Each structure stands twice: as C-alpha cells, then as structure tokens.
Amino acid sequence: MEAPHSSPAAETAPETAGTTAPGPARAVPEAVTVTLTVTSPEQMQDLGRRLARVLAPGDLVMLTGELGAGKTTLTRGLGEGLGVRGAVTSPTFVIARVHPSLTGGPALVHVDAYRLGGGLDEMEDLDLDVSLPESVVVVEWGDGKVEELADDRLRVLIDRATGDTDDERREVTLVGIGARWAGLRADLA
C-alpha cells in the first residue's frame, strides 16, 4: 500500500478576493467557487467532458489532489470533450504532453509538475507561456508554480478519502479566479 501523500491543496490556502499574492502588492482577482461530489471514475471523466465545453484557448487549469484522486481521469475527460488526438495518460515521467485538436479547437497541453520543485522559473523550459494563448493548459500539481502564467485561471481541488479504502467518492472544488470565470456556475448547469 502506498503511504499517504500530502497534497499541495492542504498546504496552500485557497485564493480569495482581496488577498494579495507574494511579492509586489497585487490583488487576487475575484473568485467563484463551485463544489461537486463525484462517486466514480466515470463521473470524474464526465465532469472533464462538461468542463471542456466551457474551456477556450488561453485557459489555464490547475489540478490539485492526492495521488490517485482522479486528476488524470478528469484530464482524460477534458481531452475527450476537446476532441484531441492521442490517449490522455499521466505525463509524470515526460513532464508534459501536447494533444493536438482533431476538431479545429485548441490543443490540450497536459503537464505534471509533481517532480518540479521550483516555481515558474523551473517550468520555463516547457514554454507554457508560448503554448497558453492557443491551447488549454492543464497542470497537475501546479499550485505555487504556474499562477503567474495567467491572471484568470481555474483551480480544481480534488479531495478523496486517504488510507486503505475503496471509497470512490471525491469532493471536487472548482475555483474560477478572474473575470473569465464569473459565469462558472451557470456554465456547468
């Protein structure tokens, strides 16, 4: 059995309106929060397909959750919904995968930042800032590493029971930061 892994979600306070980011004083854009319960991998993948309907080129999606929480399953649904080429699998060992669109939509850039310790400087070699305007960029374990890429971003926090359990239930909290996500509740209805 794998030892419990500390999730960055537990270590990172949620972004809220009116707080400031480290460094020069900068207000964090308004945030919209939606919490959903998912009870199976199929529902997690379906949530990804639903989210894909509201994603557009230039969107940054940051996924946070324990190992095995469903980040890649959600991204697989995003890939299906965006109509991209290639099987969406965990990019843990390659760090990033680009899935071009088969439908004329945006490409899906899927990044796993788990093994990257630094902030945006260490991520710079991936050229995410170049990919972002034309793509949907999804970063697993991106908290504290990629926020500077976009003022408007979607944080997806996936909480699951840890330890020796067969419980498939997940609490998924979507935090839309910035004006881009003002209609998040209505978009998911």
Side-chain angles (χ1 to χ4, degrees):
M1 179 174 91
E2 186 175 298
H5 179 76
S6 177
S7 166
E11 301 165 10
T12 305
E15 296 180 61
T16 56
T19 62
T20 57
R26 182 175 118 188
V28 173
E30 293 294 321
V32 174
T33 302
V34 176
T35 301
L36 307 162
T37 300
V38 174
T39 59
S40 70
E42 294 79 21
Q43 284 185 359
M44 185 67 78
Q45 201 162 335
D46 183 59
L47 175 59
R49 286 188 291 270
R50 288 175 44 210
L51 277 174
R53 292 192 310 247
V54 303
L55 294 175
D59 283 343
L60 173 63
V61 180
M62 298 167 44
L63 305 180
T64 302
E66 301 285 339
L67 291 171
K71 297 178 296 296
T72 300
T73 301
L74 179 77
T75 306
R76 189 171 298 120
L78 289 172
E80 288 176 9
L82 291 171
V84 300
R85 185 180 73 211
V88 175
T89 59
S90 178
T92 299
F93 298 105
V94 295
I95 309 297
R97 283 196 172 97
V98 178
H99 298 274
S101 176
L102 295 172
T103 63
L108 172 65
V109 178
H110 185 197
V111 179
D112 186 330
Y114 179 72
R115 294 185 302 141
L116 303 177
L120 193 56
D121 291 341
E122 190 172 344
M123 302 281 292
E124 198 169 275
D125 289 341
L126 299 177
D127 287 332
L128 295 179
D129 56 335
V130 173
S131 301
L132 187 59
E134 300 88 29
S135 306
V136 170
V137 175
V138 176
V139 183
E140 297 186 25
W141 308 100
D143 284 348
K145 298 176 183 172
V146 297
E147 289 86 349
E148 295 175 31
L149 286 174
D151 288 335
D152 293 4
R153 57 196 171 273
L154 181 63
R155 290 183 70 216
V156 180
L157 299 100
I158 306 172
D159 288 317
R160 70 171 181 94
T162 57
D164 190 15
T165 179
D166 291 333
D167 190 357
E168 295 288 339
R169 178 187 161 120
R170 309 291 196 257
E171 293 296 322
V172 181
T173 304
L174 307 168
V175 182
I177 300 160
R180 160 73 177 94
W181 300 103
L184 182 61
R185 279 188 192 86
D187 290 343
L188 290 176

